[in-house]
Amino acid sequence: MSDDSATPNRKDGPDRGPLAVVGCFTTAERKARGTGIRVFHRDGAPWRAAHRLDGIVNPSFLRADPERGVVYAAHGDDDVVSAYTVDPATGAIAPLGRARSAGRNGVAVALHPSKRFLFVADYADGSVSTLPVASDGSPADATHCLALPGPAGPHRVEQTSSHPHDTVMDPAGRFLLVPDKGLDRVFVLRPEDSTGELTVVSQALLRPGSGPRHIAFHPVLPRAYVVTEIDSMVVSLAWDAAAGVLSPLHVVPALPDSFFGHSTAAEIVVDPSGRFLYLSHRGADLVARFSLDDSGDRPVLGGWVPSNGAEPRFMALSPDGTRLFVANEQSDSIVEFAIDAVTGELSATHTVATPSPSAVAFL
């Protein structure tokens, strides 16, 4: 198990391995034990602690720009977006800048392909903000804010208003897709080239009360997949890249039919081969595995494995697609699973200890 006792600005000698940057929840409201952002060398197994930056409040979601060596963070329960430089050799992390979003509780950050704009999902205020980005990667305060329109879903607690929960650029980099948990729909937005100002192009309506949370694209086919938080389903959608339109195809249950407790789905990833899809459940504390055929239309459930921890909020594939990392927020661990190249089955291999992990980004 990895030691997480690294101190700021510690040197790790000549090792030059790829890096993992981990955001950790920090506040009592989040039932958290984290202190900020931690950086690990991932050139071996398990990961080795490199550096950490304490005093950063609730870095809830991270987005990496490997070319610049910059990581962006949205901050839970706040209206701040921050940026950090990470030294590729030592993993030393340093603040680059902070900026204000136009809404509260940022839960996802997307970087425009031009790298001139950041897009932030403001969960609490039902909006998506555009923040300019300077040539060095530092963000400026939001210049535009788009309020997402539509009637709230039927859930009396989770759907009182719009709650965008993800921001993902489509594979061609022309559209921004935003699942809205509160409105039971996925918005397709178009950024204006010179300003980054967003406009609504289309909306995909999902089942009332489903609570769409995150979205992932197929690596080759014009298909996308949405995990619905409230009813724990996976939805496949056809993607019209020319028109910017999502069309729902199938919805598939993702919890075991023998499970009767409370659970909410969290993260969804598609492996680089396009043959497997994975989804995490908080409460059941499971990772579901689906297979995808040549059409990519209907995910087929293949089974579940325990996440080996509590509340698997976030998952990320290794850059080569051979491993899945599952961040168990309430058991202070990131569990590495090896992926069988033939069946897609998961086998736990290593555990990294880090408090209240909320997100992982690779550099």
Side-chain angles (χ1 to χ4, degrees), residues 47 266-267 269 278-282 285-288 305-318 323-329 331-338 346 348 350-352 354 357-360 362:
W47 295 350
E267 189 58 276
V269 297
Y278 301 95
L279 187 152
S280 65
H281 296 284
R282 298 167 297 178
D285 295 335
L286 299 171
V287 178
V305 296
S307 67
N308 288 356
E311 300 284 318
R313 179 181 189 265
F314 184 85
M315 300 190 301
L317 287 163
S318 62
R323 288 158 294 161
L324 180 69
F325 296 96
V326 179
N328 292 299
E329 177 192 340
S331 56
D332 302 335
S333 65
I334 299 173
V335 179
E336 174 186 317
F337 291 87
L346 300 174
H350 302 283
T351 299
V352 179
T354 192
S358 59
V360 181
F362 296 117

Side-chain angles (χ1 to χ4, degrees), residues 74-87:
H75 294 263
D77 309 320
D78 206 342
D79 63 352
V80 173
V81 176
S82 57
Y84 307 87
T85 57
V86 182
D87 185 281

Side-chain angles (χ1 to χ4, degrees), residues 49-63:
H51 292 265
R52 72 190 233 191
L53 198 56
D54 292 340
I56 301 170
V57 179
N58 288 338
S60 64
F61 186 87
L62 304 179
R63 179 70 67 188

Side-chain angles (χ1 to χ4, degrees), residues 9-362:
N9 302 318
R10 193 193 83 185
K11 298 296 183 182
D12 271 75
D15 295 326
R16 292 176 177 267
L19 301 171
V21 184
V22 178
C24 304
F25 279 130
T26 62
T27 61
E29 292 80 5
R30 296 280 182 163
K31 301 178 182 179
R33 297 153 298 282
T35 58
I37 296 178
R38 301 184 178 225
V39 183
F40 295 85
H41 292 289
R42 57 178 184 87
D43 52 346
W47 295 350
R48 296 178 296 112
H51 292 265
R52 72 190 233 191
L53 198 56
D54 292 340
I56 301 170
V57 179
N58 288 338
S60 64
F61 186 87
L62 304 179
R63 179 70 67 188
D65 179 358
E67 292 182 3
R68 285 176 171 155
V70 172
V71 173
Y72 298 97
H75 294 263
D77 309 320
D78 206 342
D79 63 352
V80 173
V81 176
S82 57
Y84 307 87
T85 57
V86 182
D87 185 281
T90 66
I93 183 170
L96 177 62
R98 288 166 59 89
R100 293 289 180 184
S101 182
R104 295 174 296 114
N105 194 11
V107 291
V109 180
L111 181 63
H112 189 270
S114 70
K115 302 189 179 182
R116 296 173 55 206
F117 309 108
L118 289 172
F119 304 112
V120 183
D122 306 313
Y123 180 89
D125 289 340
S127 59
V128 183
S129 298
T130 300
L131 285 71
V133 177
S135 58
D136 66 351
S138 57
D141 289 349
T143 53
H144 299 282
C145 181
L146 176 68
L148 299 178
H155 197 288
R156 291 178 294 176
V157 176
E158 299 292 339
Q159 295 185 308
T160 56
S161 63
S162 167
H163 291 311
H165 212 299
D166 203 5
T167 51
V168 174
M169 295 298 302
D170 81 299
R174 296 181 61 230
F175 299 100
L176 182 74
L177 282 79
V178 180
D180 193 311
K181 172 183 161 183
L183 305 185
D184 290 323
R185 62 194 64 203
V186 182
F187 288 92
V188 179
L189 311 179
R190 179 67 187 266
E192 203 279 329
D193 290 339
S194 61
T195 66
E197 184 173 357
L198 297 166
T199 56
V200 177
V201 175
S202 66
Q203 304 174 38
L205 304 183
L206 303 188
R207 285 182 177 176
S210 59
R213 178 181 171 95
H214 283 185
I215 187 169
F217 277 94
H218 193 282
V220 178
L221 300 171
R223 297 290 181 267
Y225 307 92
V226 169
V227 55
T228 56
E229 176 177 332
I230 297 173
D231 66 0
S232 295
M233 302 278 191
V234 58
V235 182
S236 62
L237 306 99
W239 171 238
D240 184 334
V245 173
L246 282 170
S247 301
L249 297 172
H250 299 285
V251 58
V252 182
L255 277 173
D257 58 12
S258 59
F259 180 80
F260 290 91
H262 176 70
S263 189
T264 56
E267 189 58 276
I268 187 168
V269 297
V270 181
D271 89 307
S273 74
R275 297 172 54 217
F276 309 114
L277 179 153
Y278 301 95
L279 187 152
S280 65
H281 296 284
R282 298 167 297 178
D285 295 335
L286 299 171
V287 178
R289 169 176 52 88
F290 295 81
S291 61
L292 299 170
D293 64 13
D294 291 342
S295 73
D297 287 353
R298 186 192 295 269
V300 176
L301 184 60
W304 303 266
V305 296
S307 67
N308 288 356
E311 300 284 318
R313 179 181 189 265
F314 184 85
M315 300 190 301
L317 287 163
S318 62
D320 63 4
T322 63
R323 288 158 294 161
L324 180 69
F325 296 96
V326 179
N328 292 299
E329 177 192 340
Q330 288 301 321
S331 56
D332 302 335
S333 65
I334 299 173
V335 179
E336 174 186 317
F337 291 87
I339 300 175
D340 187 285
V342 176
T343 65
E345 293 183 2
L346 300 174
S347 302
T349 55
H350 302 283
T351 299
V352 179
T354 192
S356 305
S358 59
V360 181
F362 296 117

